[in-house]
Amino acid sequence: MALSVGIVGLPNVGKSTLFNSLSSAKAEAANYPFCTIEPNVGVVTVPDDRLAKIDSVIHADRILPTAINFVDIAGLVRGASKGEGLGNQFLSHIREVDAIAQVARCFEDANVIHVENKVDPVADIATVTTELCLKDLETVNKRLDRARKAAKGNDPKEKLALEICEALAAHLDGARPVRTAKMPESADGQQIVREMHLLTAKPTLYVANVDEASLSNLDANPHYKALAALAAEEGAPIVPVCAAIEEQIAELDPADRPEFLASVGLEEPALHALIRAGYKLLNLLTFFTAGKVEVRAWTTHVGARAPQAAGVIHTDFERGFIKAEVMWWEDLVKLGSEAKCRDAGKLAIEGKDYVMRDGDVVHFRFNV
């Protein structure tokens, strides 16, 4: 399940520095616009302390976490929807990701240039959002023209498309992203929206790139507070990160990281919170398999049923699904073994209608 979060923002706000911290694939990070042209992709493991706790009773040969992809996308400038800067490349790369992490600069530093010559994260977000809305408006208007022509033939789906596109066009014309619009309730209406692959329909979170001093006192940073207010208004997650500090943490030997984290007042790298936020934004959950060979985390969508989760491991598991033997991870850790879970009635035999929970430890039975 190669789901991806695109790291998006104006040039020079810290996107590539953030990406370097997230991924071992080092992106070029420099003090000039358009440093990133082709998108860099990093496969990032999802931090999950449940793995080690499960392994404390399993003692497997190896532990394998789950992962998501982060994509470092070229910086956008005003006019990108009309091809300014690297606009067309930027927009096509955004279209390919599943969710967006918009990075905004929330620190003052005369030595780091800003493409708009001022630090204003809300204005930065507005610039990006406006360009994405303009591109979406172009897409919606094309679909609207088609619907107007087809609706004359009394095609009910095209009449619905006409109604939906008119509403979306009005919404976008106010520089408001599609994700904040009222979505159609019918299956046909939802399909019409999906088929347009609108950029601003993608789930979005905000990353506030703050300075080191702000990490221990975010309320003293007016730029962060302004961005947090915008995020709250939209109901979007916001993650404060000092990208420069995170890059230093990433370059340290793992044994030296706890001492450094303590010195800057952090319990864990802030990027762990960002990774978890991206994972949640994609509406994902983690389930586990546990045996002597490996304790492993797997990813599936919230609401997935047992056969779908089995298919994440191997398509044969889904095709030949018989049943799932399910334990709650805390029960396994507390009781100490699968056998003890079974004896205590904490191991359930579930069928094809079972809805997976985040934290399930599963053994799938199948026959092909």
Side-chain angles (χ1 to χ4, degrees), residues 203-263:
T204 297
L205 64 84
Y206 295 122
V207 181
N209 187 12
V210 301
D211 54 9
E212 183 179 345
S214 297
L215 290 175
S216 57
N217 190 10
L218 290 169
D219 286 341
N221 184 323
H223 299 309
Y224 174 79
K225 289 177 70 175
L227 185 58
L230 173 66
E233 183 182 331
E234 292 186 3
I238 180 170
V239 182
V241 171
C242 177
I245 289 291
E246 296 297 321
E247 189 168 38
Q248 291 179 54
I249 294 170
E251 291 175 350
L252 287 173
D253 185 281
D256 297 329
R257 289 176 189 171
E259 183 180 351
F260 182 82
L261 285 167
S263 73

Side-chain angles (χ1 to χ4, degrees), residues 4-8 69-73 93 97-102:
S4 58
V5 177
I7 301 175
V8 170
N69 291 345
F70 276 83
V71 184
D72 181 26
I73 297 174
H93 294 150
V97 299
D98 301 290
I100 297 171
Q102 278 207 50

Side-chain angles (χ1 to χ4, degrees), residues 10-13 105 112-120 124:
L10 296 184
N12 226 33
V13 295
R105 176 175 162 181
V112 180
I113 63 172
H114 189 288
V115 73
E116 298 279 4
N117 294 316
K118 62 178 180 178
V119 178
D120 186 342
D124 290 356

Side-chain angles (χ1 to χ4, degrees), residues 6 13 19 25 44 46 76 94 107 124 175 201 210 260 299 306:
V13 295
F19 178 83
V44 178
V46 178
L76 172 147
I94 291 182
F107 66 89
D124 290 356
V210 301
F260 182 82
T299 297

Side-chain angles (χ1 to χ4, degrees), residues 46-340:
V46 178
D48 194 329
D49 61 5
R50 294 174 297 182
L51 277 166
K53 291 175 181 178
I54 293 169
D55 187 59
S56 70
V57 300
I58 300 295
H59 307 297
D61 294 337
R62 60 180 180 175
I63 299 176
L64 294 176
T66 191
I68 57 174
N69 291 345
F70 276 83
V71 184
D72 181 26
I73 297 174
L76 172 147
V77 294
R78 199 179 304 278
S81 59
K82 303 300 181 186
E84 291 294 328
L86 299 169
N88 293 329
Q89 287 173 274
F90 173 93
L91 296 167
S92 67
H93 294 150
I94 291 182
R95 206 174 295 280
E96 293 169 5
V97 299
D98 301 290
I100 297 171
Q102 278 207 50
V103 182
R105 176 175 162 181
C106 295
F107 66 89
E108 301 278 353
D109 187 340
N111 295 317
V112 180
I113 63 172
H114 189 288
V115 73
E116 298 279 4
N117 294 316
K118 62 178 180 178
V119 178
D120 186 342
V122 173
D124 290 356
I125 295 297
T127 297
V128 174
T129 299
T130 297
E131 295 303 325
L132 299 184
C133 285
L134 287 170
K135 196 64 179 180
D136 278 351
L137 185 58
E138 182 183 307
T139 302
V140 169
N141 280 333
K142 286 179 182 177
R143 182 66 181 90
L144 183 57
D145 288 341
R146 269 177 42 216
R148 282 177 177 147
K149 294 172 184 176
K152 294 176 181 177
N154 291 319
D155 183 327
K157 186 172 181 180
E158 291 303 312
K159 286 186 175 181
L160 178 61
L162 178 62
E163 178 184 327
I164 289 169
C165 289
E166 285 178 339
L168 287 179
H171 191 81
L172 287 162
D173 198 42
R176 292 169 293 174
V178 168
R179 64 180 179 276
T180 65
K182 184 179 179 181
M183 288 292 105
E185 296 180 1
S186 69
D188 281 346
Q190 291 168 9
Q191 183 182 4
I192 288 165
V193 176
R194 278 197 307 271
E195 287 173 348
M196 287 188 281
H197 303 289
L198 298 172
L199 301 171
T200 64
K202 295 180 185 292
T204 297
L205 64 84
Y206 295 122
V207 181
N209 187 12
V210 301
D211 54 9
E212 183 179 345
S214 297
L215 290 175
S216 57
N217 190 10
L218 290 169
D219 286 341
N221 184 323
H223 299 309
Y224 174 79
K225 289 177 70 175
L227 185 58
L230 173 66
E233 183 182 331
E234 292 186 3
I238 180 170
V239 182
V241 171
C242 177
I245 289 291
E246 296 297 321
E247 189 168 38
Q248 291 179 54
I249 294 170
E251 291 175 350
L252 287 173
D253 185 281
D256 297 329
R257 289 176 189 171
E259 183 180 351
F260 182 82
L261 285 167
S263 73
V264 294
L266 295 174
E267 293 182 2
E268 65 172 1
L271 291 180
H272 286 190
L274 173 58
I275 295 165
R276 288 192 290 263
Y279 195 76
K280 185 177 180 180
L281 191 68
L282 289 167
N283 203 30
L284 303 176
L285 62 79
T286 300
F287 67 94
F288 305 96
T289 53
K292 289 299 181 184
V293 174
E294 65 181 25
V295 170
R296 183 163 182 170
W298 302 86
T299 297
T300 191
H301 286 284
V302 171
R305 300 187 184 276
Q308 293 172 282
V312 172
I313 300 174
H314 197 287
T315 52
D316 284 350
F317 283 29
E318 181 174 9
R319 189 158 54 92
F321 179 87
I322 299 172
K323 62 183 179 181
E325 299 175 359
V326 184
M327 299 169 284
W328 182 239
W329 78 273
E330 287 180 324
D331 291 334
L332 175 60
V333 172
K334 181 180 178 181
L335 295 173
S337 72
E338 179 180 328
K340 289 179 179 177

